[in-house]
Amino acid sequence: MSIILTVFANSPDGGRGLARDMPVRWALEEAGLAYAVRTVSFTAMKQAEHRRRNPFGQIPAFEETRPEAPPLVLFESGAIVLHLAHSHPGLLPDAPDPRARAVMWIFAALSTVEPPVVERSMAALFEQDRPWHAERLATLHERVHIRLSELAAWLGDEDWLEGAFTAGDLMMVSVLRRLSGSGLLEAHPSIAAYVARAEERPAFRRAFDAQLALFTAARDAPG
Ligand code: GTB
């Protein structure tokens, strides 16, 4: 089996590992799978060749070549992580009920926690010059705080959402990391500690270092 992950040639995240290839890289590392990287520019991302991999002209895209079956091409970071978690040990419990609960947390990360987090990032990045910016940002911060408080109440003193680390934690932490630098995580110490705990995992470090090396090489390339 060989895997190719398509990622930004020049990530706008400044090497902070905030783009959506990061949860996929992390899942690949947790599962112990080797992969190659294909880079795309912002222009190439919108061309027909890449849109065959991701119809929305975005990263990530994932291709898995297997000897016994036609290549599998996937987009959507959550779907890719779920595919890896289902097909390789290490990211989901084996027992059906704990497995279903871990999958539930992947969806909770993407459909309940992520919307206010992303809306806040977009407002902070692109709406700074609007007269209503401060008021809107305060509203969005409040929405994020509500989700973080609810998550902290669930987590309590536990290390992970469902006892042992799963793909649900991987996806939740990937979403929460988009708050880094906003000061919002620090207001919820148990959530900040949860994110830090996940970032200490060797698989996370390998994934982070790989995307940083790519970012640094692109930044330092002549021309
Ligand atoms: N739902 C899809 C998924 O999860 O795979 C969303 C994919 C997506 O948003 N991809 C973005 C993209 O390709 C990159 S990750 N954008 C280019 C385009 O649409 O033309 C989002 C992202 C971008 C930048 C930062 N950053 O600078 O910190 C963080 C996250």
PDB file of all heavy atoms in Angstrom, residues 8 11-14 16 18-21 42 45-46 54 56-60 75-78 110 114 125 178, ligand 1:
ATOM      1  N   PHE A   8      -0.647  22.051   1.094  1.00  0.00           N
ATOM      2  CA  PHE A   8      -0.231  23.361   0.596  1.00  0.00           C
ATOM      3  C   PHE A   8       1.263  23.358   0.273  1.00  0.00           C
ATOM      4  O   PHE A   8       2.076  22.911   1.093  1.00  0.00           O
ATOM      5  CB  PHE A   8      -0.379  24.427   1.685  1.00  0.00           C
ATOM      6  CG  PHE A   8      -1.751  25.002   1.875  1.00  0.00           C
ATOM      7  CD1 PHE A   8      -2.287  25.119   3.153  1.00  0.00           C
ATOM      8  CD2 PHE A   8      -2.484  25.506   0.802  1.00  0.00           C
ATOM      9  CE1 PHE A   8      -3.526  25.696   3.361  1.00  0.00           C
ATOM     10  CE2 PHE A   8      -3.732  26.083   1.009  1.00  0.00           C
ATOM     11  CZ  PHE A   8      -4.258  26.178   2.286  1.00  0.00           C
ATOM     12  N   SER A  11       2.090  26.928   2.980  1.00  0.00           N
ATOM     13  CA  SER A  11       0.944  27.040   3.893  1.00  0.00           C
ATOM     14  C   SER A  11       0.843  28.446   4.472  1.00  0.00           C
ATOM     15  O   SER A  11       1.835  29.005   4.959  1.00  0.00           O
ATOM     16  CB  SER A  11       1.067  26.028   5.037  1.00  0.00           C
ATOM     17  OG  SER A  11      -0.058  26.166   5.883  1.00  0.00           O
ATOM     18  N   PRO A  12      -0.366  29.018   4.444  1.00  0.00           N
ATOM     19  CA  PRO A  12      -0.544  30.355   5.028  1.00  0.00           C
ATOM     20  C   PRO A  12      -0.503  30.340   6.560  1.00  0.00           C
ATOM     21  O   PRO A  12      -0.582  31.390   7.185  1.00  0.00           O
ATOM     22  CB  PRO A  12      -1.939  30.783   4.522  1.00  0.00           C
ATOM     23  CG  PRO A  12      -2.651  29.513   4.224  1.00  0.00           C
ATOM     24  CD  PRO A  12      -1.598  28.493   3.853  1.00  0.00           C
ATOM     25  N   ASP A  13      -0.373  29.162   7.153  1.00  0.00           N
ATOM     26  CA  ASP A  13      -0.414  29.102   8.629  1.00  0.00           C
ATOM     27  C   ASP A  13       0.937  29.386   9.277  1.00  0.00           C
ATOM     28  O   ASP A  13       1.074  29.302  10.499  1.00  0.00           O
ATOM     29  CB  ASP A  13      -0.966  27.752   9.096  1.00  0.00           C
ATOM     30  CG  ASP A  13       0.016  26.610   8.881  1.00  0.00           C
ATOM     31  OD1 ASP A  13       1.097  26.824   8.298  1.00  0.00           O
ATOM     32  OD2 ASP A  13      -0.298  25.489   9.304  1.00  0.00           O
ATOM     33  N   GLY A  14       1.952  29.720   8.442  1.00  0.00           N
ATOM     34  CA  GLY A  14       3.254  30.077   9.002  1.00  0.00           C
ATOM     35  C   GLY A  14       3.956  28.912   9.681  1.00  0.00           C
ATOM     36  O   GLY A  14       4.794  29.111  10.562  1.00  0.00           O
ATOM     37  N   ARG A  16       2.560  26.665  11.606  1.00  0.00           N
ATOM     38  CA  ARG A  16       1.994  26.345  12.929  1.00  0.00           C
ATOM     39  C   ARG A  16       1.187  25.045  12.932  1.00  0.00           C
ATOM     40  O   ARG A  16       0.622  24.664  13.952  1.00  0.00           O
ATOM     41  CB  ARG A  16       1.118  27.509  13.423  1.00  0.00           C
ATOM     42  CG  ARG A  16       1.941  28.747  13.818  1.00  0.00           C
ATOM     43  CD  ARG A  16       1.044  29.914  14.193  1.00  0.00           C
ATOM     44  NE  ARG A  16       0.216  30.320  13.065  1.00  0.00           N
ATOM     45  CZ  ARG A  16      -0.965  30.960  13.183  1.00  0.00           C
ATOM     46  NH1 ARG A  16      -1.432  31.254  14.379  1.00  0.00           N
ATOM     47  NH2 ARG A  16      -1.639  31.304  12.104  1.00  0.00           N
ATOM     48  N   LEU A  18      -1.676  24.375  11.383  1.00  0.00           N
ATOM     49  CA  LEU A  18      -3.105  24.637  11.580  1.00  0.00           C
ATOM     50  C   LEU A  18      -3.940  24.287  10.351  1.00  0.00           C
ATOM     51  O   LEU A  18      -5.165  24.324  10.409  1.00  0.00           O
ATOM     52  CB  LEU A  18      -3.328  26.116  11.950  1.00  0.00           C
ATOM     53  CG  LEU A  18      -2.683  26.558  13.264  1.00  0.00           C
ATOM     54  CD1 LEU A  18      -2.933  28.039  13.511  1.00  0.00           C
ATOM     55  CD2 LEU A  18      -3.205  25.729  14.436  1.00  0.00           C
ATOM     56  N   ALA A  19      -3.277  23.978   9.236  1.00  0.00           N
ATOM     57  CA  ALA A  19      -4.036  23.616   8.035  1.00  0.00           C
ATOM     58  C   ALA A  19      -4.519  22.161   8.175  1.00  0.00           C
ATOM     59  O   ALA A  19      -4.066  21.416   9.046  1.00  0.00           O
ATOM     60  CB  ALA A  19      -3.185  23.802   6.788  1.00  0.00           C
ATOM     61  N   ARG A  20      -5.430  21.793   7.296  1.00  0.00           N
ATOM     62  CA  ARG A  20      -6.167  20.542   7.533  1.00  0.00           C
ATOM     63  C   ARG A  20      -5.430  19.290   7.097  1.00  0.00           C
ATOM     64  O   ARG A  20      -5.960  18.187   7.222  1.00  0.00           O
ATOM     65  CB  ARG A  20      -7.511  20.612   6.857  1.00  0.00           C
ATOM     66  CG  ARG A  20      -8.258  21.840   7.269  1.00  0.00           C
ATOM     67  CD  ARG A  20      -9.644  21.538   7.529  1.00  0.00           C
ATOM     68  NE  ARG A  20     -10.361  22.786   7.773  1.00  0.00           N
ATOM     69  CZ  ARG A  20     -11.447  22.851   8.458  1.00  0.00           C
ATOM     70  NH1 ARG A  20     -11.969  21.776   8.982  1.00  0.00           N
ATOM     71  NH2 ARG A  20     -12.054  23.998   8.637  1.00  0.00           N
ATOM     72  N   ASP A  21      -4.221  19.443   6.585  1.00  0.00           N
ATOM     73  CA  ASP A  21      -3.425  18.235   6.386  1.00  0.00           C
ATOM     74  C   ASP A  21      -2.925  17.716   7.731  1.00  0.00           C
ATOM     75  O   ASP A  21      -2.584  16.541   7.861  1.00  0.00           O
ATOM     76  CB  ASP A  21      -2.236  18.502   5.455  1.00  0.00           C
ATOM     77  CG  ASP A  21      -1.347  19.616   5.959  1.00  0.00           C
ATOM     78  OD1 ASP A  21      -1.855  20.745   6.104  1.00  0.00           O
ATOM     79  OD2 ASP A  21      -0.156  19.365   6.228  1.00  0.00           O
ATOM     80  N   PHE A  42      -1.637  27.597  -4.702  1.00  0.00           N
ATOM     81  CA  PHE A  42      -3.027  28.066  -4.694  1.00  0.00           C
ATOM     82  C   PHE A  42      -3.620  28.006  -6.108  1.00  0.00           C
ATOM     83  O   PHE A  42      -4.807  27.741  -6.261  1.00  0.00           O
ATOM     84  CB  PHE A  42      -3.128  29.483  -4.118  1.00  0.00           C
ATOM     85  CG  PHE A  42      -3.118  29.474  -2.614  1.00  0.00           C
ATOM     86  CD1 PHE A  42      -1.943  29.671  -1.903  1.00  0.00           C
ATOM     87  CD2 PHE A  42      -4.292  29.247  -1.905  1.00  0.00           C
ATOM     88  CE1 PHE A  42      -1.938  29.635  -0.514  1.00  0.00           C
ATOM     89  CE2 PHE A  42      -4.303  29.205  -0.511  1.00  0.00           C
ATOM     90  CZ  PHE A  42      -3.117  29.407   0.184  1.00  0.00           C
ATOM     91  N   MET A  45      -4.283  24.255  -7.081  1.00  0.00           N
ATOM     92  CA  MET A  45      -5.390  23.714  -6.290  1.00  0.00           C
ATOM     93  C   MET A  45      -6.746  23.885  -6.988  1.00  0.00           C
ATOM     94  O   MET A  45      -7.681  23.142  -6.732  1.00  0.00           O
ATOM     95  CB  MET A  45      -5.406  24.534  -4.993  1.00  0.00           C
ATOM     96  CG  MET A  45      -5.723  23.821  -3.748  1.00  0.00           C
ATOM     97  SD  MET A  45      -5.637  25.009  -2.392  1.00  0.00           S
ATOM     98  CE  MET A  45      -3.913  25.126  -2.146  1.00  0.00           C
ATOM     99  N   LYS A  46      -6.815  24.906  -7.836  1.00  0.00           N
ATOM    100  CA  LYS A  46      -8.103  25.209  -8.487  1.00  0.00           C
ATOM    101  C   LYS A  46      -8.190  24.611  -9.898  1.00  0.00           C
ATOM    102  O   LYS A  46      -9.172  24.806 -10.602  1.00  0.00           O
ATOM    103  CB  LYS A  46      -8.310  26.739  -8.559  1.00  0.00           C
ATOM    104  CG  LYS A  46      -8.209  27.448  -7.220  1.00  0.00           C
ATOM    105  CD  LYS A  46      -9.215  26.916  -6.191  1.00  0.00           C
ATOM    106  CE  LYS A  46      -9.013  27.556  -4.811  1.00  0.00           C
ATOM    107  NZ  LYS A  46      -9.743  26.855  -3.743  1.00  0.00           N
ATOM    108  N   ASN A  54     -10.043  16.629  -5.131  1.00  0.00           N
ATOM    109  CA  ASN A  54     -10.867  17.392  -4.174  1.00  0.00           C
ATOM    110  C   ASN A  54     -11.703  18.390  -4.979  1.00  0.00           C
ATOM    111  O   ASN A  54     -11.194  19.406  -5.446  1.00  0.00           O
ATOM    112  CB  ASN A  54      -9.963  18.122  -3.164  1.00  0.00           C
ATOM    113  CG  ASN A  54     -10.781  18.848  -2.095  1.00  0.00           C
ATOM    114  OD1 ASN A  54     -11.871  19.340  -2.374  1.00  0.00           O
ATOM    115  ND2 ASN A  54     -10.251  18.921  -0.891  1.00  0.00           N
ATOM    116  N   PHE A  56     -13.617  20.647  -4.345  1.00  0.00           N
ATOM    117  CA  PHE A  56     -13.713  22.017  -3.835  1.00  0.00           C
ATOM    118  C   PHE A  56     -12.413  22.799  -4.025  1.00  0.00           C
ATOM    119  O   PHE A  56     -12.300  23.944  -3.591  1.00  0.00           O
ATOM    120  CB  PHE A  56     -14.152  22.011  -2.362  1.00  0.00           C
ATOM    121  CG  PHE A  56     -15.485  21.325  -2.188  1.00  0.00           C
ATOM    122  CD1 PHE A  56     -15.576  20.091  -1.566  1.00  0.00           C
ATOM    123  CD2 PHE A  56     -16.643  21.891  -2.699  1.00  0.00           C
ATOM    124  CE1 PHE A  56     -16.804  19.442  -1.441  1.00  0.00           C
ATOM    125  CE2 PHE A  56     -17.878  21.247  -2.582  1.00  0.00           C
ATOM    126  CZ  PHE A  56     -17.956  20.020  -1.949  1.00  0.00           C
ATOM    127  N   GLY A  57     -11.430  22.163  -4.659  1.00  0.00           N
ATOM    128  CA  GLY A  57     -10.178  22.859  -4.941  1.00  0.00           C
ATOM    129  C   GLY A  57      -9.432  23.223  -3.667  1.00  0.00           C
ATOM    130  O   GLY A  57      -8.842  24.291  -3.562  1.00  0.00           O
ATOM    131  N   GLN A  58      -9.459  22.315  -2.702  1.00  0.00           N
ATOM    132  CA  GLN A  58      -8.817  22.571  -1.413  1.00  0.00           C
ATOM    133  C   GLN A  58      -7.857  21.437  -1.062  1.00  0.00           C
ATOM    134  O   GLN A  58      -7.862  20.382  -1.703  1.00  0.00           O
ATOM    135  CB  GLN A  58      -9.888  22.667  -0.310  1.00  0.00           C
ATOM    136  CG  GLN A  58     -10.842  23.840  -0.496  1.00  0.00           C
ATOM    137  CD  GLN A  58     -11.724  24.046   0.718  1.00  0.00           C
ATOM    138  OE1 GLN A  58     -12.292  23.098   1.242  1.00  0.00           O
ATOM    139  NE2 GLN A  58     -11.855  25.273   1.163  1.00  0.00           N
ATOM    140  N   ILE A  59      -7.065  21.677  -0.028  1.00  0.00           N
ATOM    141  CA  ILE A  59      -6.299  20.596   0.581  1.00  0.00           C
ATOM    142  C   ILE A  59      -7.022  20.235   1.880  1.00  0.00           C
ATOM    143  O   ILE A  59      -7.755  21.076   2.422  1.00  0.00           O
ATOM    144  CB  ILE A  59      -4.816  20.983   0.836  1.00  0.00           C
ATOM    145  CG1 ILE A  59      -4.671  22.127   1.853  1.00  0.00           C
ATOM    146  CG2 ILE A  59      -4.129  21.329  -0.454  1.00  0.00           C
ATOM    147  CD1 ILE A  59      -4.402  21.704   3.247  1.00  0.00           C
ATOM    148  N   PRO A  60      -6.877  19.018   2.409  1.00  0.00           N
ATOM    149  CA  PRO A  60      -6.037  17.939   1.896  1.00  0.00           C
ATOM    150  C   PRO A  60      -6.782  17.060   0.896  1.00  0.00           C
ATOM    151  O   PRO A  60      -8.002  17.084   0.807  1.00  0.00           O
ATOM    152  CB  PRO A  60      -5.727  17.141   3.160  1.00  0.00           C
ATOM    153  CG  PRO A  60      -6.963  17.271   3.999  1.00  0.00           C
ATOM    154  CD  PRO A  60      -7.488  18.655   3.715  1.00  0.00           C
ATOM    155  N   PHE A  75     -11.220  13.171  -0.019  1.00  0.00           N
ATOM    156  CA  PHE A  75     -10.995  14.517   0.516  1.00  0.00           C
ATOM    157  C   PHE A  75     -11.802  14.613   1.799  1.00  0.00           C
ATOM    158  O   PHE A  75     -12.441  13.639   2.193  1.00  0.00           O
ATOM    159  CB  PHE A  75     -11.385  15.589  -0.525  1.00  0.00           C
ATOM    160  CG  PHE A  75     -12.832  15.583  -0.916  1.00  0.00           C
ATOM    161  CD1 PHE A  75     -13.743  16.410  -0.279  1.00  0.00           C
ATOM    162  CD2 PHE A  75     -13.297  14.728  -1.908  1.00  0.00           C
ATOM    163  CE1 PHE A  75     -15.086  16.402  -0.628  1.00  0.00           C
ATOM    164  CE2 PHE A  75     -14.639  14.713  -2.267  1.00  0.00           C
ATOM    165  CZ  PHE A  75     -15.533  15.551  -1.626  1.00  0.00           C
ATOM    166  N   GLU A  76     -11.760  15.746   2.478  1.00  0.00           N
ATOM    167  CA  GLU A  76     -12.354  15.996   3.807  1.00  0.00           C
ATOM    168  C   GLU A  76     -11.488  15.356   4.890  1.00  0.00           C
ATOM    169  O   GLU A  76     -11.448  14.124   5.040  1.00  0.00           O
ATOM    170  CB  GLU A  76     -13.801  15.503   3.942  1.00  0.00           C
ATOM    171  CG  GLU A  76     -14.839  16.415   3.304  1.00  0.00           C
ATOM    172  CD  GLU A  76     -14.869  17.833   3.888  1.00  0.00           C
ATOM    173  OE1 GLU A  76     -14.553  18.019   5.082  1.00  0.00           O
ATOM    174  OE2 GLU A  76     -15.184  18.765   3.135  1.00  0.00           O
ATOM    175  N   SER A  77     -10.841  16.215   5.659  1.00  0.00           N
ATOM    176  CA  SER A  77      -9.902  15.701   6.667  1.00  0.00           C
ATOM    177  C   SER A  77     -10.582  14.722   7.629  1.00  0.00           C
ATOM    178  O   SER A  77      -9.995  13.697   7.984  1.00  0.00           O
ATOM    179  CB  SER A  77      -9.267  16.863   7.434  1.00  0.00           C
ATOM    180  OG  SER A  77     -10.247  17.696   7.999  1.00  0.00           O
ATOM    181  N   GLY A  78     -11.822  15.015   8.033  1.00  0.00           N
ATOM    182  CA  GLY A  78     -12.512  14.130   8.975  1.00  0.00           C
ATOM    183  C   GLY A  78     -12.752  12.752   8.373  1.00  0.00           C
ATOM    184  O   GLY A  78     -12.572  11.724   9.040  1.00  0.00           O
ATOM    185  N   LEU A 110     -16.100  18.289  14.671  1.00  0.00           N
ATOM    186  CA  LEU A 110     -16.272  18.961  13.374  1.00  0.00           C
ATOM    187  C   LEU A 110     -17.595  19.691  13.248  1.00  0.00           C
ATOM    188  O   LEU A 110     -17.665  20.711  12.561  1.00  0.00           O
ATOM    189  CB  LEU A 110     -16.116  17.943  12.241  1.00  0.00           C
ATOM    190  CG  LEU A 110     -14.713  17.350  12.114  1.00  0.00           C
ATOM    191  CD1 LEU A 110     -14.681  16.266  11.054  1.00  0.00           C
ATOM    192  CD2 LEU A 110     -13.688  18.444  11.791  1.00  0.00           C
ATOM    193  N   GLU A 114     -16.241  22.947  16.047  1.00  0.00           N
ATOM    194  CA  GLU A 114     -15.513  23.697  15.014  1.00  0.00           C
ATOM    195  C   GLU A 114     -16.237  24.951  14.490  1.00  0.00           C
ATOM    196  O   GLU A 114     -15.578  25.978  14.271  1.00  0.00           O
ATOM    197  CB  GLU A 114     -15.148  22.787  13.838  1.00  0.00           C
ATOM    198  CG  GLU A 114     -14.315  23.529  12.817  1.00  0.00           C
ATOM    199  CD  GLU A 114     -13.838  22.640  11.696  1.00  0.00           C
ATOM    200  OE1 GLU A 114     -12.786  22.035  11.872  1.00  0.00           O
ATOM    201  OE2 GLU A 114     -14.507  22.550  10.666  1.00  0.00           O
ATOM    202  N   LEU A 125      -9.349  37.325  11.296  1.00  0.00           N
ATOM    203  CA  LEU A 125      -8.438  37.520  10.164  1.00  0.00           C
ATOM    204  C   LEU A 125      -8.949  38.530   9.140  1.00  0.00           C
ATOM    205  O   LEU A 125      -8.189  39.348   8.639  1.00  0.00           O
ATOM    206  CB  LEU A 125      -8.235  36.177   9.428  1.00  0.00           C
ATOM    207  CG  LEU A 125      -7.222  35.202  10.002  1.00  0.00           C
ATOM    208  CD1 LEU A 125      -7.307  33.871   9.272  1.00  0.00           C
ATOM    209  CD2 LEU A 125      -5.812  35.783   9.894  1.00  0.00           C
ATOM    210  N   ARG A 178      -6.784  25.598  16.568  1.00  0.00           N
ATOM    211  CA  ARG A 178      -7.014  26.827  15.789  1.00  0.00           C
ATOM    212  C   ARG A 178      -7.268  28.018  16.699  1.00  0.00           C
ATOM    213  O   ARG A 178      -7.301  29.155  16.251  1.00  0.00           O
ATOM    214  CB  ARG A 178      -8.176  26.637  14.818  1.00  0.00           C
ATOM    215  CG  ARG A 178      -7.747  25.767  13.654  1.00  0.00           C
ATOM    216  CD  ARG A 178      -8.729  25.762  12.535  1.00  0.00           C
ATOM    217  NE  ARG A 178      -8.701  26.964  11.726  1.00  0.00           N
ATOM    218  CZ  ARG A 178      -9.271  27.060  10.537  1.00  0.00           C
ATOM    219  NH1 ARG A 178      -9.896  26.027  10.030  1.00  0.00           N
ATOM    220  NH2 ARG A 178      -9.224  28.171   9.842  1.00  0.00           N
TER     221      ARG A 178
HETATM  222  N1  GTB B   1     -13.803  20.617   5.441  1.00  0.00           N
HETATM  223  C1  GTB B   1     -12.562  20.537   4.695  1.00  0.00           C
HETATM  224  C2  GTB B   1     -11.614  19.533   5.368  1.00  0.00           C
HETATM  225  O1  GTB B   1     -11.712  19.362   6.594  1.00  0.00           O
HETATM  226  O2  GTB B   1     -10.798  18.889   4.681  1.00  0.00           O
HETATM  227  C3  GTB B   1     -11.967  21.942   4.667  1.00  0.00           C
HETATM  228  C4  GTB B   1     -10.699  21.999   3.837  1.00  0.00           C
HETATM  229  C5  GTB B   1     -10.090  23.391   3.887  1.00  0.00           C
HETATM  230  O3  GTB B   1     -10.642  24.331   4.499  1.00  0.00           O
HETATM  231  N2  GTB B   1      -8.906  23.522   3.266  1.00  0.00           N
HETATM  232  C6  GTB B   1      -8.234  24.810   3.237  1.00  0.00           C
HETATM  233  C7  GTB B   1      -7.936  25.183   1.788  1.00  0.00           C
HETATM  234  O4  GTB B   1      -7.573  24.355   0.987  1.00  0.00           O
HETATM  235  C8  GTB B   1      -6.901  24.715   3.948  1.00  0.00           C
HETATM  236  S1  GTB B   1      -7.044  24.299   5.647  1.00  0.00           S
HETATM  237  N3  GTB B   1      -8.059  26.474   1.484  1.00  0.00           N
HETATM  238  C9  GTB B   1      -7.721  26.992   0.181  1.00  0.00           C
HETATM  239  C10 GTB B   1      -8.920  27.403  -0.587  1.00  0.00           C
HETATM  240  O5  GTB B   1     -10.061  27.132  -0.164  1.00  0.00           O
HETATM  241  O6  GTB B   1      -8.707  28.006  -1.647  1.00  0.00           O
HETATM  242  C11 GTB B   1      -7.827  25.768   6.350  1.00  0.00           C
HETATM  243  C12 GTB B   1      -6.805  26.691   6.941  1.00  0.00           C
HETATM  244  C13 GTB B   1      -6.169  27.604   6.148  1.00  0.00           C
HETATM  245  C14 GTB B   1      -5.252  28.486   6.724  1.00  0.00           C
HETATM  246  C15 GTB B   1      -5.000  28.431   8.072  1.00  0.00           C
HETATM  247  N4  GTB B   1      -4.060  29.334   8.641  1.00  0.00           N
HETATM  248  O7  GTB B   1      -3.466  30.146   7.931  1.00  0.00           O
HETATM  249  O8  GTB B   1      -3.847  29.310   9.881  1.00  0.00           O
HETATM  250  C16 GTB B   1      -5.632  27.491   8.868  1.00  0.00           C
HETATM  251  C17 GTB B   1      -6.542  26.614   8.285  1.00  0.00           C
END
